[in-house]
Every structure is written in C-alpha cells, then in structure tokens.
Amino acid sequence: MMTSTASTNKAEELGASLTTLLGRLEAQLHELHALMPMRSLGPAHMDTLQQIHLSLSAAEADAQRARATLRAEAAELAELRSLLAAADAITPRLHAARDGIPARPPAEPSRPPLHELAADAPRRRSSTGEAALRAGRPVPSLPLVSEAELLSAPSYMRARLDVGKVNGTLLEVQTCLQQRYALLGATRAQMRAMGEADRKRAAAIREMESATTKALFFFSEDDLKTHPAIRQDATGKNIFAVLRHVGRLREFKHAGMRCWHVR
C-alpha cells in the first residue's frame, strides 16, 4: 500500500513537471511566431535579430532539458513499477509468515528439581550417561543471552551490566565446562602426559562425581580458581544471578562448596 501511494504521488509530480515544461515551450513558440515577420529585416535591425537568436537558443536549451527530464522520469517510473510488482509479489508471503507466528511463545517445559535428578541418576547412567562419559562427555553449547532476556532480570541484578559483559562471562563458563570434562574424560595415556597440577585437578574432579552429579554438566568454585576471567566480585555475582534468572545455570551445594550446572 505504501509503495502504491508513493508511485501515485510520483506520477502526479511527473505530470506537473511536464505540464510546466510544455507551458514554457508554448510561450516561447508564441514569442517566436510574433517575431517571424522580422526575419527579412536587414542589418539595421540587428538588435531585433539578436533577440530572435537568443530566444531560439533558450528554446533549444529548454527542449534539451525537457528531453533529459523525460528520460530520467521515465526511468524512475519504470523502477517504481518494478518495486510495486515486487511488493505485490511478496505481500502474500508476508501475510502467511505473520499468520504462522504463534500469539504466545511455547512454554518452556518444566524441569525436575535437583533431588529428582539425583534419584534418576542411576537410570540415566545405565543408558546414555555412561556412554557420554566414555566419549568425554561433550558439553552442550550455552546460547548467548539476548537483550530482551537481560531486561527481564530485576534491576538490582543487571545494574551496570550489558549484554556484552554477561555473554563474555557465559563464554568463559563454556570454556570452564569444556576443560573440566576434558580432564574427566582423559585416558590413562593422556593423564601420564599431563603436568602434576592437571593430574591433581583431574583426580579432584573425579572425586566430586557421585550419583547426584553423574547426570549433570556442572562446575564448582574450585574450577573458577583456574579461570580468573570469571570474576566473583560484585559484578561477577550479579552476572551469575542474571545467568540463573535467564535459565542458563542452576546453583546447588555439593561437596561442601557452591556448584552450578547447565540446564
């Protein structure tokens, strides 16, 4: 509709422009017609002849400008017709896309609390859990936090935060998880090639594995010590609060320390 209206307005402007040009040409032709009887005048009427010459030159220049304007406006009209045809072609698809958008986003499925996950852990390990552990437990990718999600958090959580800071920490959390489960899934040959600090850390990670945590991808306060980029100052705590609020992390207590697992 907007394209059609724009095309109509443009056509009206072109019509008015052409009418103005034709009116000027008609006035100059009348002036030339009035001066035609003087074409047989001699040198004594040089001023009059000079006026005729100037009028003819002006008329020729106006005609050239009119032709150039007509060519340019014809090209613009062709472009407007093409845009209008494209708009008419895409309108049904836009309507179909609009009709396909649900009035409300689908509700996120409810997740069982941690104690139910713990009770269900033996059954999980008997199927996919142990296979994932043997394969090195690939860590699921954590989707970045959107601006809308950040704004949904209470103001006291997101004070002085922006999406860049939150997602920067989230990416560090992803790296922390990947390194933790790389150590957990290391083979004996890989363990022998590690340094003493990494072997001790791998042993500590294994000790934390229990019926409660085998079904989870989680990290602990101890893991954060090896990732100084994940700060635990006031800003860092607010970021973790936001990540919990938007559903990227869940916090729980395990082995006497704070831990977080991904949903």
Side-chain angles (χ1 to χ4, degrees), residues 111 138-146 149 166-178 181 216-219 230 239-240 243-244 246-250 260-263:
R111 300 178 182 273
V139 177
S141 296
L142 299 174
L144 296 178
V145 177
S146 67
E149 286 179 308
V166 175
N167 284 330
T169 298
L170 186 63
L171 292 174
E172 288 292 334
V173 167
Q174 182 85 50
T175 300
C176 176
L177 283 167
Q178 289 169 343
Y181 285 95
L216 304 176
F217 292 98
F218 77 101
F219 61 97
I230 306 177
I239 291 175
F240 267 59
L243 292 177
R244 292 197 305 271
V246 300
R248 300 302 189 272
L249 299 176
R250 279 185 175 179
W260 298 265
H261 73 86
V262 300
R263 292 191 174 188

Side-chain angles (χ1 to χ4, degrees), residues 213-231:
T213 61
K214 285 276 189 175
L216 304 176
F217 292 98
F218 77 101
F219 61 97
S220 69
E221 289 178 307
D222 277 350
D223 293 310
L224 296 183
K225 295 175 182 178
T226 62
H227 292 270
I230 306 177
R231 295 162 31 182

Side-chain angles (χ1 to χ4, degrees), residues 113-135:
L114 186 60
H115 68 275
E116 293 183 12
L117 288 174
D120 194 39
R123 181 175 60 81
R124 288 170 175 257
R125 291 199 305 278
S126 64
S127 56
T128 60
E130 291 295 337
L133 179 59
R134 288 193 297 270

